[in-house]
Amino acid sequence: MTAVTPVTSADPLVYLTVSEASRLIAARKLSPVELVEAYLARIDAIDDVVHSYITVLADRARAAARIAEAEVLAGRWKGPLHGIPFAVKDNYHVKGVKTTGGSRLMLDYVADETSTAIEKLEAAGAILLGKLNTWEYGTGTGEIYHDLPFPLARNPWNPARHTGGSSTGAGVAVAAGTAMFALGSDTGGSVRLPAAATGVYGMKATYGLMSRAGCLPNCWSLDVVGPLTWTAEDNATVAQVMAGYDPRDPQSADVPSYDLMAGFDMGLKGLTIGVVRDLGADAPSMDPDIVTKLAETEVLLSELGATVVEIALPAPLSKYRSVTGTINWAESLSIHEQDFMERSHLMGKALKDKMTSGFTVRAVDYVAATRYRRQLAVTTDAVIRTVDAVLAPCTFITAPTFEDQERLVKFTFGSATSIFNVTGHPAISIPTGFDRDGMPTSAQIVGRYFDEATTYRVARALEKAAGTRGLRPAL
Amino acid sequence: MSDFPAWTQDEINAFAARYGLANLTPDHLARMRELADRVSAAGRAIPRMPSKGDEPASTFRVPLA
Amino acid sequence: MNAPVVAKALHHLTAAEASRLIAAKAISPVDLVKALLARIEAVEPRIASYITLDAEAALAAARRAEAEIAAGRWKGPMHGIPFAVKDNYDAAGLPTTAGSRLSEGWPRPDRDAALVARMKAAGAVLMGKLATWEFGTGNGGEYFDLPYPSARNPWHLDHFPGGSSSGAGTAVAAGTVTVALGSDTTGSVRLPAAATGVVGVKGTHGLLSKSGILANCYSMDIPGPLTWTVEDSALVMNAVAGHDPGDPTSLTGPVPDFRVGLKQGVAGLRIGVIRSFGPGMAPPDADLVAAFEAGLAVLADLGAVLIETDFPAPVADFYACTRIIGPVESATIHERELREMPDRMGFALRDKLMFGAQVRAVDYIAAQRRRRVLAAAMTAMMARFDAVVTFGAAHAAPRLGVEPGMTAFTTDTALVPFNISGHPSLVQCTGFNAAGLPLHWQIAAPHRADPTLLRVAAAYEAATPWRDRRPEP
């Protein structure tokens, strides 16, 4: 793959991939201190434009970088994340650091615990740069109300355009080079939508694979955490560290650890890939450029040797949506009930709308949603188990401008992401190229339960063949 | 808890109609109004969890069984 | 070993006794079933323990068992043992009525519930389906408005046999079946056991499959055996426990031999003693307290180390959760029936559904969140002991249909904390009150420590004379 870097002010260091930087660090050709300084400089230079961060932890990152440098020089290289700078959506707690959740309700909140995900990454040598922008408590209708306490994150491919939410800073940081990788959280698409908007990879792993302990919840029964990265390989590398049973998370899956990169570079020969083309008569329409890219991706899968078959999901998109709506309103209200009853004037409109919706939901309807959810999971799984992996649409349009409320809502709710929150299957949002306006297009690769490895294998093969990784935002 | 207003019969009749409980007799609806106050009291009797992270005793897990 | 002698009426044999006699070919399964059918003919009109009796199928199964055993293919201790199930279990070819008019016209199931299938596979002989409150639902009140007669307490026909597995305790105590299976959402196995003086076990949640049992409350329903002795419960558990992919809450992992501790005694076991239900609940009656204290003395004599402890929260707090969770989950199960045919329900079920239909989601979720916290606190408390002894209900069986005794018997209990927490617990007989009605206590154990639970109960049972007396209804 040839890197074609457009006009940019960026230090080339911030556009290294995790695996590239890792090789240089291990070979002592690149110091973590140098790398962290390059990112801090990049943040200084462009974050006033893209607003990817809520909190930059410069001193903490510099201190960690010096330690990492000393460790590597002393021959104690810890592995592929040692010295790699990353950032997290501001709903991950770090002990002694503010967690705002993007909310006026938490502007002064200092966490007294560190999330398991960050503990694991830091133990692997990764260096936390700071906390990234987010919609309030991960909540968004898609509409932008300009009523949150921090400036709106902006898309580095075009700052007049949306970043995808709710992990609004996470995709931006990876694409614009203000972090080498980022962590988001995903209730109905909040990792995959920002990844789709900014042309990066965003993984929502099998429900329960990655611990959510120490993260602000949005909706317990649908939430997962996940990494956003520039390449498929980087994603698998980070995910491997995040995966694993954690008794601190009641929904953590107690399964033996497995290799997320098994077969990573084996190509697609012998694999059967199911393609989901029809999401129901009542699904929103797809933009022609998205349709074209999905069709091209299908062709590419065949050319790479996969057997491509059309599969049909057991229910239209709208049914999966109805499940996430009821469950999310009710659980979010339970989480924030006291705030809603006492301090709702501090909430932004999107969050307040969700709380208000949750207030009148009856328990029987909530339980009915959880029952229907299980049925959808069982019947969807039966379809997914007939193939090795699935190609499905991600968003139906590319990132819209902030002025276009209708398309903003469509970007968030008219997408196929929530299907796999309902069912719990691993789903990665992959970049498939660009539309006529130069905005990234996307698709989802979906796998069987606990088979992230095949989704990465497919993502990797498409990445190599499509060559989408050469172009970075001109910023 | 007397500081919360009791349900009225009209409210209960509207509630039942809204959620499709079409075959309840006037006797049933009168009984439902009595129950309604107990329902709200029972709901208020549940202590709210101090931490936003305290999860419900949920049953959805992967693998599915 | 001398030839076994049949020293008592066949209908009062325990499963363990009958099994030994069957294995020794001193009696045959056909003799046993015929004896039970004669007993049923004699007493069933007075006690109403069955909803459906399938004498023909039972005799046929008994003849098959007899032939298999005669041919040397003895399957184990359940082979040829008659059993019956609460009528919310499916049994192929028999109606599942759930004690309700709502079930009229339902097709008969063509499959056995998992536990019925496992009992049959172990060679047990299904006699029929036992009386139950409508879909296992009761608020304690008895409204005499269900399509089947109320089961009666065989110790005193004017008294309540406990609910909702109301026929199960009655049948075992009266000898209309050898062992029974019921289900327990907030006490529905243990309460009938308390009322009728039998052993009722609610094992560790997930140990016994719920597949093929009509749901009452997804997040709390637990099936369990009702038997005359602790050993019989162990035999039934051995036959039916274990993972079932058909039940999403079924536990995986090894299944213990539930008989392993039955003769080990309690010397050296650390047993927690809980005397108080906490504020907001009626204290136990004096005769239950006296029997409880005498029972503790028995355990102490046997060498157990008794340690005072408490529930981590008032029992009333546990009830606050189940009062929301139970009606809501029932209301989601019977939503259509409440819309379409509320007049075909008994008062108790309709009341519960009208309650559940109104609860807000946020209150239900709060109850489930509170449940997790209470369960964790219970687990921390239970972890300090090998077992815990406490009261079951605060009263002996009340007069059937007479308030306030009925509701008090059902709601003044310490049974619910173990439904909230999922810990194994059982109720067993601790003697009799002045009216000749059984007294009882409750024993509980840490998760998966079901063999220890049975061990403590078996030691107590062996040291006391309560199994010598049977009711004559």
Side-chain angles (χ1 to χ4, degrees):
Chain A
M1 192 171 77
T2 46
V4 185
T5 307
V7 181
T8 171
S9 62
D11 182 332
L13 287 184
V14 303
Y15 280 160
L16 293 176
T17 65
V18 172
S19 48
E20 288 164 352
S22 179
R23 280 191 291 275
L24 293 170
I25 289 170
R28 301 182 196 175
K29 290 179 181 161
L30 171 64
S31 154
V33 172
E34 202 182 336
L35 193 57
V36 163
E37 290 302 337
Y39 275 98
L40 291 174
R42 177 70 170 166
I43 293 166
D44 270 348
I46 66 157
D47 214 46
D48 280 351
V49 180
V50 294
H51 299 294
S52 58
Y53 281 83
I54 286 177
T55 304
V56 179
L57 301 170
D59 293 344
R60 195 177 186 280
R62 286 189 171 109
R66 282 191 296 274
I67 293 169
E69 181 186 68
E71 287 167 341
V72 173
L73 287 175
R76 296 200 305 277
W77 185 69
K78 292 180 176 175
L81 295 185
H82 204 170
I84 302 298
F86 75 108
V88 297
K89 183 179 182 178
D90 198 12
N91 62 345
Y92 285 68
H93 292 308
V94 179
K95 191 175 178 174
V97 173
K98 277 190 196 178
T99 309
T100 71
S103 175
R104 282 194 181 77
L105 292 160
M106 289 186 67
L107 291 179
D108 301 316
Y109 178 81
V110 176
D112 57 5
E113 61 169 338
T114 298
S115 62
T116 296
I118 293 177
E119 273 180 355
K120 284 183 160 185
L121 290 167
E122 290 193 328
I127 295 172
L128 181 68
L129 290 169
K131 315 287 289 292
L132 297 168
N133 217 335
T134 172
W135 281 336
E136 186 171 19
Y137 290 136
T139 293
T141 58
E143 270 191 80
I144 304 291
Y145 305 116
H146 301 281
D147 60 355
L148 296 181
F150 303 102
L152 212 53
R154 290 183 176 270
N155 198 312
W157 298 97
N158 180 346
R161 286 182 182 255
H162 179 42
T163 58
S166 64
S167 310
T168 53
V172 173
V174 173
T178 58
M180 195 165 259
F181 70 89
L183 304 188
S185 61
D186 190 315
T187 309
S190 289
V191 161
R192 289 160 291 161
L193 297 174
T198 59
V200 306
Y201 289 82
M203 173 58 106
K204 182 209 80 71
T206 306
Y207 182 75
L209 178 69
M210 297 179 185
S211 171
R212 309 165 305 180
C215 297
L216 281 176
N218 172 27
C219 172
W220 298 285
S221 59
L222 297 168
D223 285 348
V224 301
V225 296
L228 295 92
T229 60
W230 185 250
T231 66
E233 181 180 6
D234 287 1
N235 208 289
T237 303
V238 177
Q240 185 75 59
V241 174
M242 294 174 72
Y245 177 66
D246 178 13
R248 286 174 70 201
D249 177 349
Q251 301 296 39
S252 180
D254 193 0
V255 295
S257 65
Y258 52 94
D259 182 4
L260 300 185
M261 291 181 77
F264 187 66
D265 266 316
M266 284 172 59
L268 302 186
K269 285 199 179 59
L271 293 189
T272 301
I273 312 281
V275 176
V276 176
R277 297 195 186 103
D278 183 3
L279 291 163
D282 55 354
S285 61
M286 239 179 249
D287 278 3
D289 287 359
I290 299 272
V291 176
T292 304
K293 288 293 179 189
L294 283 168
E296 286 173 12
T297 304
E298 269 186 49
V299 171
L300 209 48
L301 289 170
S302 295
E303 287 173 1
L304 291 166
T307 304
V308 176
V309 295
E310 180 166 8
I311 58 170
L313 295 177
L317 171 61
S318 54
K319 292 289 185 192
Y320 295 90
R321 269 277 166 221
S322 70
V323 167
T324 57
T326 298
I327 292 178
N328 197 351
W329 295 330
E331 292 190 11
S332 282
L333 176 60
S334 180
I335 294 165
H336 305 297
E337 190 182 10
Q338 195 183 350
D339 286 336
F340 181 62
M341 303 304 282
E342 295 167 9
R343 306 196 289 165
S344 69
H345 62 283
L346 293 176
M347 292 180 173
K349 183 174 187 306
L351 181 63
K352 205 186 299 182
D353 273 3
K354 189 166 69 169
M355 302 286 99
T356 308
S357 304
F359 197 78
T360 53
V361 174
R362 290 185 313 151
V364 283
D365 297 322
Y366 170 78
V367 176
T370 67
R371 292 172 66 192
Y372 184 50
R373 184 246 181 117
R374 177 182 295 281
Q375 189 195 321
L376 284 174
V378 169
T379 52
T380 306
D381 188 50
V383 173
I384 290 178
R385 277 191 283 112
T386 64
V387 294
D388 294 300
V390 174
L391 171 69
C394 186
T395 62
F396 294 4
I397 60 176
T398 57
T401 66
F402 289 115
E403 279 66 48
D404 193 339
Q405 294 285 24
E406 196 181 319
R407 283 175 72 82
L408 284 166
V409 173
K410 185 173 180 180
F411 185 84
T412 300
F413 284 126
S415 79
T417 50
S418 59
I419 293 169
F420 306 106
N421 296 88
V422 170
T423 68
H425 291 91
I428 185 167
S429 165
I430 65 164
T432 55
F434 298 88
D435 72 356
R436 64 196 67 181
D437 297 325
M439 296 308 291
T441 54
S442 62
Q444 287 185 99
I445 306 296
V446 182
R448 301 179 183 190
Y449 289 129
F450 302 108
D451 187 19
E452 285 75 9
T454 303
T455 69
Y456 282 130
R457 177 178 170 182
V458 174
R460 165 66 157 186
L462 289 171
E463 176 184 277
K464 279 197 336 200
T468 63
R469 298 296 76 196
L471 191 62
R472 287 278 196 168
L475 194 70
Chain B
M1 288 188 211
S2 53
D3 51 334
F4 288 89
W7 290 83
T8 66
Q9 191 63 55
D10 284 348
E11 285 172 331
I12 289 301
N13 295 350
F15 180 92
R18 177 173 306 125
Y19 292 108
L21 298 177
N23 291 334
L24 295 177
T25 64
D27 277 0
H28 294 160
L29 287 164
R31 175 63 178 163
M32 193 163 179
R33 202 218 65 75
E34 286 171 28
L35 290 169
D37 294 338
R38 295 190 210 175
V39 171
S40 10
R44 288 196 300 272
I46 306 292
R48 270 31 183 181
M49 293 303 105
S51 158
K52 292 189 176 186
D54 284 326
E55 298 202 15
S58 164
T59 53
F60 183 79
R61 277 180 190 283
V62 179
L64 294 172
Chain C
M1 194 173 136
N2 294 326
V5 176
V6 185
K8 55 178 159 181
L10 293 187
H11 62 258
H12 278 334
L13 290 178
T14 67
E17 289 165 347
S19 172
R20 283 188 283 274
L21 293 167
I22 287 171
K25 302 197 172 89
I27 62 169
S28 100
V30 177
D31 301 334
L32 200 51
V33 167
K34 283 183 174 167
L36 286 176
L37 290 174
R39 176 70 167 175
I40 289 165
E41 194 170 336
V43 303
E44 181 64 14
R46 293 192 291 283
I47 62 172
S49 60
Y50 281 87
I51 287 178
T52 303
L53 176 70
D54 194 359
E56 289 307 310
L59 280 168
R63 280 193 287 270
R64 271 197 307 279
E66 185 181 60
E68 286 162 350
I69 294 163
R73 297 199 307 275
W74 187 66
K75 293 177 175 174
M78 274 296 129
H79 205 166
I81 303 299
F83 78 108
V85 296
K86 181 179 180 178
D87 200 10
N88 59 347
Y89 284 60
D90 279 348
L94 297 181
T96 305
T97 73
S100 176
R101 282 185 194 84
L102 300 178
S103 64
E104 283 168 18
W106 286 4
R108 297 184 177 202
D110 53 10
R111 292 181 56 181
D112 288 329
L115 298 191
V116 172
R118 288 183 187 192
M119 285 293 277
K120 286 181 177 174
V125 173
L126 180 66
M127 299 290 294
K129 316 285 289 292
L130 299 168
T132 173
W133 277 341
E134 187 169 20
F135 289 101
T137 290
N139 51 14
E142 174 62 61
Y143 306 99
F144 301 106
D145 60 354
L146 297 180
Y148 304 95
S150 303
R152 301 271 167 169
N153 195 313
W155 297 93
H156 204 311
L157 295 174
D158 289 340
H159 282 249
F160 180 46
S164 62
S165 310
S166 51
T170 292
V172 171
T176 57
V177 79
T178 308
V179 295
L181 286 164
S183 62
D184 190 316
T185 305
T186 54
S188 289
V189 161
R190 291 162 294 159
L191 205 59
T196 60
V198 307
V199 178
V201 182
K202 178 189 78 66
T204 296
H205 284 210
L207 213 46
L208 269 52
S209 171
K210 296 183 293 190
S211 171
I213 303 174
L214 289 175
N216 173 30
C217 170
Y218 304 109
S219 67
M220 290 193 300
D221 289 344
I222 296 298
L226 294 97
T227 62
W228 185 248
T229 62
V230 176
E231 182 182 18
D232 278 7
S233 278
L235 293 176
V236 174
M237 297 280 279
N238 270 358
V240 299
H243 181 67
D244 174 14
D247 174 354
T249 59
S250 177
L251 282 179
T252 53
V255 177
D257 178 352
F258 295 93
R259 287 176 305 184
V260 72
L262 294 182
K263 295 198 164 44
Q264 290 179 343
V266 291
L269 288 190
R270 293 168 49 85
I271 297 182
V273 177
I274 301 178
R275 290 191 173 82
S276 170
F277 293 18
M281 302 276 294
D285 293 345
D287 44 13
L288 278 163
V289 173
F292 185 84
E293 297 300 335
L296 293 178
V298 169
L299 294 182
D301 279 350
L302 294 170
V305 182
L306 301 180
I307 302 153
E308 295 287 317
T309 188
D310 261 313
F311 287 117
V315 172
D317 284 18
F318 294 85
Y319 267 106
C321 291
T322 58
R323 193 165 289 132
I324 292 283
I325 294 169
V328 164
E329 295 188 14
S330 286
T332 181
I333 294 164
H334 301 296
E335 208 178 356
R336 186 181 60 80
E337 287 98 331
L338 182 63
R339 274 203 309 271
E340 295 175 5
M341 51 189 99
D343 54 330
R344 296 191 54 76
M345 300 173 186
F347 178 86
L349 180 63
R350 188 174 56 243
D351 230 37
K352 182 168 74 165
L353 301 185
M354 289 198 302
F355 185 107
Q358 300 182 49
V359 174
R360 292 184 315 150
V362 72
D363 295 320
Y364 170 78
I365 295 169
Q368 288 285 17
R369 292 173 72 187
R370 179 72 177 152
R371 178 190 184 178
R372 185 183 285 281
V373 169
L374 288 173
M378 283 287 285
T379 299
M381 183 273 288
M382 296 293 292
R384 294 163 47 215
F385 307 106
D386 295 304
V388 164
V389 179
T390 184
F391 294 94
H395 318 288
R399 291 177 71 85
L400 184 65
V402 179
E403 293 294 352
M406 283 291 290
T407 300
F409 180 70
T410 303
T411 56
D412 298 344
T413 85
L415 301 171
V416 160
F418 302 106
N419 297 91
I420 286 284
S421 71
H423 288 102
S425 72
L426 64 76
V427 154
Q428 74 180 145
C429 181
T430 57
F432 299 88
N433 70 8
L437 287 160
L439 302 170
H440 70 280
W441 68 4
Q442 183 178 207
I443 306 175
H447 287 125
R448 292 189 184 256
D450 306 69
T452 311
L453 177 78
L454 298 171
R455 175 181 171 184
V456 174
Y460 172 81
E461 182 183 274
T464 51
W466 316 126
R467 295 301 78 190
D468 298 341
R469 197 193 301 191
R470 283 277 198 167
E472 218 24 82

